Amino acid sequence: MSETFKAILVSRDADKKQSVAMTDLTEADLMEGDVTVAVEATTVNYKDGLAITGKAPVIRRWPLVPGIDFAGTVISSSNPDWRKGDKVILNGWGVGETHFGAYAGRARVKGDWLVPLPEGISAHDAMAVGTAGYTAMLCVMALERHGILSDRGPVVVTGAAGGVGSVAVSILSSLGYHVIASTGRNAESPYLIDLGAAEVISRDELSQPAKPLAKERWAGGIDSVGSHTLANVLSMTSYGGAVAACGLAGGMDLPSSVAPFILRGVSLLGIDSVMAPKAVRLEAWRRIGADLDLQKLASLSTTIGFDNIMDAARDIVDGKIRGRVVVDM
């Protein structure tokens, strides 16, 4: 008899009503791919919360095992780049959206989707980073390419107590930036200061309809919120500055104007982590290994068991999760 392993399966009935259940699968149930991985750690991202709760159309194949991130060990491979025993990470590529994802004891994927686990980083640590932290690093790299270095002035991070925000605050502060952290949870101010924020502001300052141009407050920003928040961040960015946009926790709309772009030369940098080329991923994970303080990483993450994933998914959508959630399998 084939070995079984635990999995979370999201299904939909004829009336398109979604249901989520724990189940047992075998490797025969997995989807196509040339590498099979024993999943050792995963995480709960905001997108995972949306997938499990059904509050946004993340899942586009039914039934599906959700979970967009994992770290683990290769147990079989027909891909020349990977051998049994290799330690690997997966972020994105439609896994947990159109391809069976991380919330199972095994995953079968394309080898081209994998990157090696960096030296000195455990599977647990890699998932404390996860897609949220990897996306935060992509944002930092984009700001750097645009010339927004620490000597240009403050950088604002919105949704700062969330997964992307927490890692962004930590990375930016370690690189010497003056970080302004925006959060809707005032009680998290000490946490954000500990991560390296120089200032903490209320999200209320950025949540109302934006003026075409407002007082210049920062040289750049990392935004995971969207909507009015992103519009305000753009209107308050100084001449020649740039904002990296990577999320939509506050909405997909952007009620802004062209004023920041044509009167201040501000740039809006779109960040996609799902389909980013492998070379970019490798550089992001190299930088994570070099620039992210692992002690801070421990302070911004919470560890749960597999059986607690569904509760954590609901909590993250409801804004009750601080930092990162690691699932030890």
Side-chain angles (χ1 to χ4, degrees), residues 14-326:
D15 296 324
K16 297 187 176 181
K17 182 179 179 181
Q18 180 172 307
S19 61
V20 186
M22 293 277 191
T23 189
D24 290 321
L25 298 178
T26 69
E27 288 191 18
D29 297 311
L30 297 177
M31 294 176 65
E32 70 282 353
D34 52 11
V35 180
T36 303
V37 179
V39 179
E40 295 169 4
T42 181
T43 181
V44 181
N45 296 287
Y46 188 75
K47 182 182 280 188
D48 298 316
L50 294 175
I52 285 179
T53 61
K55 291 190 176 181
V58 171
I59 293 176
R60 299 189 297 281
R61 180 197 184 278
W62 307 90
L64 194 83
V65 174
I68 65 172
D69 280 338
F70 65 72
T73 302
V74 173
I75 55 178
S76 65
S77 172
S78 59
N79 185 296
D81 291 339
W82 304 105
R83 295 181 295 177
K84 182 177 180 180
D86 286 343
K87 301 291 186 179
V88 294
I89 299 171
L90 183 138
N91 306 109
W93 293 117
V95 171
E97 300 179 63
T98 59
H99 191 96
F100 275 21
Y103 296 162
R106 299 284 186 273
R108 184 181 296 125
V109 298
K110 293 182 180 180
D112 291 344
W113 296 347
L114 300 169
V115 296
L117 184 71
E119 289 289 331
I121 296 182
S122 67
H124 181 281
D125 287 345
M127 289 299 99
V129 176
T131 283
Y134 147 68
T135 302
M137 181 55 81
L138 293 178
C139 291
V140 172
M141 291 163 57
L143 291 178
E144 291 175 338
R145 287 195 300 272
H146 199 77
I148 310 302
L149 304 177
S150 60
D151 60 358
R152 281 287 297 271
V155 170
V156 66
V157 177
T158 67
V164 173
S166 293
V167 180
V169 169
S170 181
I171 293 171
L172 288 168
S173 66
S174 72
L175 294 172
Y177 287 81
H178 181 103
V179 182
I180 301 173
S182 167
T183 181
R185 293 177 269 174
N186 293 335
E188 302 293 4
S189 293
Y191 161 76
L192 293 168
I193 296 295
D194 286 345
L195 288 183
E199 303 175 51
V200 179
I201 63 173
S202 171
R203 71 176 172 203
D204 293 343
E205 295 186 35
L206 304 175
S207 61
Q208 299 304 310
K211 298 177 181 179
L213 287 176
K215 180 181 177 181
E216 298 177 54
R217 297 178 65 178
W218 33 71
I222 293 177
D223 176 67
S224 61
V225 179
S227 193
H228 293 294
T229 296
L230 178 54
N232 275 291
V233 169
L234 289 166
S235 76
M236 298 175 187
T237 299
S238 60
Y239 192 92
V243 178
C246 63
L248 45 70
M252 290 189 69
D253 59 323
L254 181 54
S256 184
S257 76
V258 298
F261 310 116
I262 66 173
L263 297 179
R264 287 188 182 157
V266 171
S267 296
L268 179 57
L269 312 175
I271 305 301
D272 167 59
S273 61
V274 176
M275 306 302 288
K278 190 167 185 176
V280 175
R281 294 167 181 267
L282 290 169
E283 175 61 12
W285 278 101
R286 185 195 69 78
R287 289 286 304 277
I288 286 166
D291 297 335
L292 185 58
D293 185 329
L294 292 183
Q295 289 186 330
K296 285 186 180 179
L297 185 63
S299 73
L300 62 82
S301 61
T302 303
T303 303
I304 63 172
F306 187 87
D307 293 343
N308 302 116
I309 289 175
M310 287 190 280
D311 287 339
R314 288 186 283 268
D315 286 345
I316 199 167
V317 172
D318 291 339
K320 297 177 181 178
I321 297 289
R322 180 179 81 177
R324 303 282 297 126
V325 176
V326 182

